[in-house]
Amino acid sequence: MLARAVVSCMLAGTAVAFAQEPAPAPAPGSATAGAGQNLKSEAKTGVPANMVGAAPVKLESGGLYDEGSYTDILDWIKQTKFHGNLRAYFFAREDTGSKSPLGENSFSLGGYAGFLTAPVYGLQAAFTLGAANSIGVNPKPAMPQQLANYGNYHGDMSLPSGSFWVAKEAYMKYTNRYFMVRGPDQVLDTPWIMPSDSRMTPSSWRAVYGELYPFKDHDNAELKKLSLVGLRIFDFQGRSDTTYLANNLYMPGHMQGQAGLAALNNQSTPGALAFGAKYGTSKDALSAQVWWHQFYNFSQLLWLDGSYLWKTGTGFDPLIGAQFANQEPDGSNMLALAKSSGGAAAATQAYGVIAGVDTQWIRFTAAWNDIVAKQGTFQNGNLVSPYSWGYATDPLYTTMMINGIIEKNTSGQAWKIAGTSFFMDKQIKVILSYASFYLAGNANGAAGNGWASTSYVNGSSNETDADVTYFFPKDSALDGLSIRNRIGVAQGNQSRGHDWYERFQIQYQF
């Protein structure tokens, strides 16, 4: 019934809504590898590197626009890019076996509007404002504490409650032939600092971000594919937050339905620093990237990710990929305060491999990840991911819709199979995936032998996801409108039986 109401609201044009919920992040072979899912097919439904998503500025000779590029101020305004999105989102979850189940059947209606000005001497300005509202259809709280904590209760705490207004982008951008820099308020899209746009709004950051193209004029075509990236984060705004704060997802206070680590309440962090080098794009057979991150007072992370798609010309293109992470503690090591999560410091390595085949009918992949278990470290050696923990949007190949190894709060291994197929001239996209997790910890869910406790049966669990999207024809009056439904079932959690999620979404991008 609620799903039908969502459709009626959207088609009646009564909504304002936020940026597209992306399909699971692209796997190797795409511009930003992630979650090992569905490789090149995902780019069409994901949030771009920034929300305005404007095409790269076509620079004139010498690398700069001059004021003579515009006949007058009206011509300049005509070349300014305006954008918007309408989204109606129905979210349901059920945790069977729980004595205090989470809220279910939550709904949100909202949208965004913004602009990116045309450049003057390479300088542009961007602003994006979003809004959302539950329109009074959500159920009463299942637990009084939820109402006390969040005031205007909205059923599931990962959706914005009541009226929700938020500025997600407000930045200046300078571009010339050899580099680009922008800041401060923006959406970032790197392997470990990602939009996580799986509810009404993406995460955003108060930061300075830049790209360098050192071989733009080189005769070697392969060298031209190399770019360098640097960023400095100062503050963070989660996917359901309305303000920027000097913290991350391990700290309580974010309105996304997860508690954070209680020991870090009222703590703050200076943010993060990252540098990367990227080679190739989703259109290239070979793509690779290497990153170094400093999450201040949490961890330092080295990340390597690469893939190769062998374009045989036969209609059957094999693909392979690999990823590696090395993590060390940083600064004052705030994680040492989190005794209930194993305390100690972040220190581990992680490995991953993926293989598959791309055909005209289906793209099939099989992937494996291992986060090396280490006694006496934070969460048995689990990777620390300050901007995705609880969101399940990290770049590991085996991360699923509901969770990945990182959300299990312990180290371990996982394997995953996934298939993506298109029908009706690519108007329908279907993604099916299954993952199984083998987790470090005591099999009975109690601490022992140096491991922190885990609530998963025999240290293992599994998840099955189905994702179906219908895109209206591009030559119709409804071009830009899509209907998407995602269903996930995670099993193996002793305390809650199994988790069942449904995410039904109608959106119009313009």
Side-chain angles (χ1 to χ4, degrees):
M1 180 180 296
L2 235 143
R4 289 196 295 270
V6 174
V7 177
S8 300
C9 287
M10 279 298 295
L11 296 183
T14 58
V16 234
F18 232 93
Q20 286 184 299
E21 176 185 1
S30 65
T32 52
Q37 305 196 44
N38 316 314
L39 299 146
K40 64 186 180 185
S41 64
E42 298 305 327
K44 295 181 179 179
T45 55
V47 69
N50 52 63
M51 289 175 62
V52 291
V57 176
K58 186 176 181 180
L59 299 173
E60 298 194 356
S61 178
L64 296 175
Y65 270 101
D66 57 38
E67 293 183 356
S69 300
Y70 312 104
T71 58
D72 52 34
I73 187 65
L74 291 179
D75 186 34
W76 179 79
I77 293 175
K78 287 180 181 179
Q79 296 189 46
T80 291
K81 295 182 181 296
F82 296 90
H83 62 279
N85 190 6
L86 306 176
R87 174 181 288 184
Y89 195 113
F90 172 68
F91 183 97
R93 79 165 95 191
E94 178 182 293
D95 304 324
T96 64
S98 174
K99 296 180 180 179
S100 300
L102 296 174
E104 302 173 71
N105 303 330
S106 297
F107 175 73
S108 194
L109 195 61
Y112 75 75
F115 63 84
L116 175 68
T117 65
V120 175
Y121 287 105
L123 190 64
Q124 298 171 276
F127 181 78
T128 302
L129 178 67
N133 196 290
S134 62
I135 65 174
V137 300
N138 290 331
K140 294 181 179 180
M143 294 179 284
Q145 187 61 36
Q146 291 178 329
L147 185 61
N149 288 343
Y150 289 90
N152 191 351
Y153 180 75
H154 54 88
D156 183 89
M157 289 178 285
S158 63
L159 287 175
S161 61
S163 295
F164 179 88
W165 294 90
V166 59
K168 277 293 177 180
E169 291 184 320
Y171 65 79
M172 298 296 294
K173 176 182 178 181
Y174 177 75
T175 308
N176 75 11
R177 187 170 181 80
Y178 302 104
F179 72 91
M180 179 274 290
V181 62
R182 66 174 185 251
D185 298 353
Q186 57 189 299
V187 176
L188 299 174
D189 192 2
T190 75
W192 292 93
I193 303 169
M194 65 293 289
S196 300
D197 182 27
S198 59
R199 296 297 189 275
M200 292 303 290
T201 74
S203 297
S204 59
W205 289 263
R206 184 155 289 160
V208 177
Y209 174 90
E211 295 183 357
L212 179 66
Y213 320 111
F215 303 105
K216 189 75 173 180
D217 295 328
H218 201 280
D219 293 335
N220 189 309
E222 298 305 313
L223 280 178
K224 289 183 178 181
K225 298 177 183 179
L226 180 65
S227 62
L228 306 178
V229 183
L231 63 92
R232 172 67 169 92
I233 290 172
F234 302 97
D235 297 307
F236 171 61
Q237 183 184 95
R239 65 187 180 190
S240 296
D241 298 335
T242 56
T243 58
Y244 285 95
L245 298 171
N247 64 11
N248 58 47
L249 294 175
Y250 287 107
M251 299 172 176
H254 293 277
M255 294 176 62
Q256 83 290 345
Q258 70 177 53
L261 301 177
L264 301 186
N265 192 33
N266 297 322
Q267 300 291 319
S268 63
T269 173
L273 178 70
F275 296 100
K278 300 189 296 182
Y279 172 84
T281 70
S282 58
K283 297 180 180 180
D284 297 309
L286 176 65
S287 64
Q289 53 187 324
V290 56
W291 287 85
W292 178 84
H293 301 78
Q294 182 178 12
F295 302 114
Y296 289 111
N297 298 329
F298 280 80
S299 72
Q300 297 181 22
L301 178 66
L302 173 67
W303 175 252
L304 293 83
D305 195 349
S307 66
Y308 181 75
L309 177 64
W310 184 19
K311 300 180 180 180
T312 64
T314 65
F316 290 84
D317 298 341
L319 60 97
I320 57 172
Q323 51 190 201
F324 168 77
N326 183 78
Q327 187 168 254
E328 303 291 342
D330 181 73
S332 61
N333 182 27
M334 298 181 69
L335 294 172
L337 301 173
K339 301 297 183 183
S340 62
S341 295
T348 193
Q349 290 80 43
Y351 305 86
V353 293
I354 190 170
V357 62
D358 193 10
T359 76
Q360 58 181 322
W361 308 284
I362 189 172
R363 171 165 285 206
F364 175 81
T365 58
W368 168 85
N369 280 113
D370 179 18
I371 300 179
V372 178
K374 293 190 177 183
Q375 298 185 31
T377 61
F378 177 73
Q379 293 184 345
N380 303 330
N382 195 12
L383 279 175
V384 172
S385 183
Y387 301 114
S388 80
W389 181 60
Y391 287 177
T393 54
D394 62 75
L396 296 179
Y397 294 146
T398 54
T399 297
M400 297 286 282
M401 181 183 82
I402 300 176
N403 51 40
I405 301 177
I406 290 175
E407 280 70 38
K408 306 294 189 181
N409 298 323
T410 188
S411 56
Q413 300 183 7
W415 64 267
K416 171 182 175 179
I417 55 175
T420 301
S421 190
F422 289 88
F423 304 92
M424 293 177 58
D425 195 26
K426 295 190 175 182
Q427 283 183 240
I428 298 177
K429 181 171 70 173
V430 178
I431 307 171
L432 300 175
S433 55
Y434 173 86
S436 186
F437 302 89
Y438 302 89
L439 305 170
N442 187 294
N444 296 319
N449 300 321
W451 303 115
S453 65
T454 175
S455 60
Y456 295 91
V457 177
N458 296 321
S460 65
S461 63
N462 62 74
E463 180 176 334
T464 304
D465 295 343
D467 184 345
V468 180
T469 305
Y470 176 78
F471 303 93
F472 283 79
K474 292 185 177 299
D475 57 354
S476 73
L478 296 177
D479 180 23
L481 182 66
S482 64
I483 302 174
R484 183 182 186 190
N485 198 33
R486 303 177 71 186
I487 295 176
V489 179
Q491 302 183 78
N493 188 317
Q494 281 183 318
S495 65
R496 298 205 307 257
H498 74 264
D499 297 337
W500 174 87
Y501 280 51
E502 181 176 13
R503 302 177 183 178
F504 179 79
Q505 171 185 292
I506 301 177
Q507 64 181 10
Y508 179 66
Q509 189 91 25
F510 60 92

